Amino acid sequence: MISVKEYQKPIIWISLVLTIISTTIFCLTVPKPNKYKLVLEYEVNLITPDILVNNDLDFDGNSEKITFYKNHGGALSILAESNERILFQNKYDGQFMRGRFFFINDCNKNKRKEIFFFRVISDSLFLDVVETYPENCWVARRFITKLYKPNGTFDQSIGAYNFNDLNNDGFDEFIFCIACGYSLINRNIYIYNPITDSLLISPKSASSIFRRLRLFDIDSDNHKEIFGQFCAIGNSNEDYPWTDQHCWFMVYTDSLTFKFRPYITGNYSGSIETTPYCTSNKKYIAAFQLDQGKTDSTFLALFNSKGHLVRYKKINYCEKYRNALFLVYPKNRPNHILLYANNGEIQEFDSLLNPTKKRFTLKNLLPYNCNIDIDLDGTLESIFTNEAHNMLTIYREGLRNPASITATPSISHYFSVKQRVGEKPYLTESTADKYFEYSYNKNKYYKFRYLLLAGFAMLTFFAFYTIGLVYVNQLRRKYNTEKDIFNLQLKALENNQLNPHFTLNIINSIGSLYEKHDIQNAQYYFGKYTKLLRQSLLWSGQISNSLENEMDFVKSYLELEKLRLNGNFEFYIDDKNLPDIQVPKFLIHTFTENAVKHGITPIIGIRKGIIKIQIARNHANCKITISDNGIGMHNSQKTAKLSTGKGFIILNEILLLYKKINGKEITYHLNNIKNEEGTTVEIIIGI
């Protein structure tokens, strides 16, 4: 007897194991909820290739809208608006510089921001500075440098920029660098002081800062040094100053002289990026060199303020470092070094340059030269795109908590923050022909992630536990049903099958053959009898049997009955269309035995008995017909004296229970042959 209580503990343990496996798979395959989410709230097409940005120009908590028109009536134009009111609108000649050409900052600290923008007139680059409250042109057409067209077009752009008070006078200077291809003479760093209208230019060099310009006082002398990324792109000759055929380790002072004499760390093609790095009590220059040339010199290193190597770690270059991002975080605290590879791997290093933590994030992301405080919490967020430029991803400090959204493919992106007093800020994006506004907030479901995971685990456990209980109950019912069928079959065996009278008569008949010295037939029938006994014993633990085995048993039985009745009947079996199906044990034998006992035996001496068994099948069922030419069903019921009458009652119960187990219905019909000379049984078995 199967007991549910007996199997309760195993069910609990199995359910627990399956829950752990399912929860693990769930955690590995289902995207985890991000702490922050980025949602597109507004989108509009720009009629002309304009640039629309937002900025709080007067520090009142409300953003003003600034539009840069690249072609407004044949001229450049800048329009500043506040609550649909025009603050100023000016037109300019020339053309805006390619790439990022405008920058906004309050340099004179009067709570009125200035707009710095570059324009190209003829073959020269000029800087204009406009203060918007009230409109005041600080600087008009300030000459910066002469531009060159090595391939017939200008290839210069602003690679990086910063605003910072370098001379400690309380006002900010504008620091920027020009990146270019073959226009080597324009590769410089510039420091412009709008208060004094003075301009500093770095020494002539083919290896100036291309991007990621950083400022930091590395030697605590109250003067900031300038760091960044230097590229060896192989455009200059070997005799050009600080040729870009090599990677140079260099740091600039705030007067744009070299902090120490630059020296070669690698060759074309590659890059070296420098950034300040602080421990709890020391300051270093951290460097990451990426070498894609013939000789791999990729490394991480720490240098002191004089440029002397302090620590060095060789890194073997591989494809994942092709667009690697090197950074140090957080600011003004003991730092961590991060190396973000394009396969999504983020490796952290300690102050000994030993790898510590490793984590994975989104793959194939490219950083924009854009760090912006989107949610106005005082910490800058970093904006990334993918290689197809159709996805935006925002990272918090230390490349954590990414928030992504599908974006319109575009190479040119201009980001800003739109804010209103008492309202949440929006990240805005202006591309070549569209303007977008995104909300960037904490995901309210993020704090419930463990609760949701626990809920999933509990539901999974109870689901498996319930399935286990249902399965055990089904097994118990099946076991009880099979037990009932087995008991009924035992009763049927006691009543009808291989009873002692049959056994004694067969033994006497076989013994008679031996007396007549008919050894061959005696051995043949003895073999049939032993086969019958062996099959009965082998099938004792079964409730069903194949139809093929059942028919083989019936053939042996009829041959023995024919011997017992001295050949007074013949039998014919047509089993050419025998299907491969299961039937209750002794089902065919029961009806065959009834045909012999109640149909054929009473007509012995009157006429020759005949038993026919035919099997026919179609796509839905199998029909087995057993017919005899005996005395007929009604006469048999009148003359039967030895039968208990329980045979068909037991058979009906067996068929009913068998249907519960296997879902297959088996029916039968008893019919008299015409003139009541014989009986026909039709057994219908569903396939």
Side-chain angles (χ1 to χ4, degrees), residues 496 557 589-600 628 648:
N496 298 316
Y557 169 75
H589 171 68
T590 299
F591 290 105
T592 304
E593 185 185 43
N594 280 339
V596 173
K597 183 188 293 186
H598 302 296
I600 300 301
D628 65 74
F648 285 115

Side-chain angles (χ1 to χ4, degrees), residues 496-563:
N496 298 316
Q497 298 158 6
L498 302 185
N499 58 60
H501 297 289
F502 171 78
T503 301
L504 289 174
N505 288 335
I506 289 297
I507 292 174
N508 286 335
S509 298
I510 295 173
S512 176
L513 291 174
Y514 277 109
E515 288 179 0
K516 295 176 182 178
H517 301 287
D518 190 356
I519 304 301
Q520 185 176 357
N521 281 328
Q523 289 178 342
Y524 174 78
Y525 286 109
F526 186 74
K528 287 288 182 181
Y529 179 65
T530 56
K531 180 181 179 182
L532 212 64
L533 287 177
R534 184 172 65 253
Q535 288 176 325
S536 298
L537 292 173
L538 289 174
W539 300 345
S540 61
Q542 301 175 202
I543 64 169
S544 63
N545 207 350
S546 69
L547 184 56
E548 181 181 0
N549 288 339
E550 185 76 7
M551 293 308 301
D552 186 53
F553 186 88
V554 168
K555 287 178 184 178
S556 298
Y557 169 75
L558 287 174
E559 287 191 54
L560 291 172
E561 283 286 22
K562 183 178 179 181
L563 172 65

Side-chain angles (χ1 to χ4, degrees), residues 157-161 175-180 186-189 202 205-215 225-231 250-252 256 272 274:
S157 63
I158 301 300
Y161 76 98
I175 308 101
F176 60 93
C177 60
I178 296 180
C180 56
N186 295 131
R187 292 183 186 172
N188 291 103
I189 303 171
S202 63
S205 169
S207 298
S208 183
I209 293 175
F210 267 63
R211 58 178 80 88
R212 299 171 194 161
L213 185 150
R214 302 179 179 101
L215 304 172
E225 283 71 39
I226 302 174
F227 310 85
Q229 185 185 51
F230 304 82
C231 298
M250 55 176 64
V251 175
Y252 292 92
L256 293 185
I272 182 170
T274 58

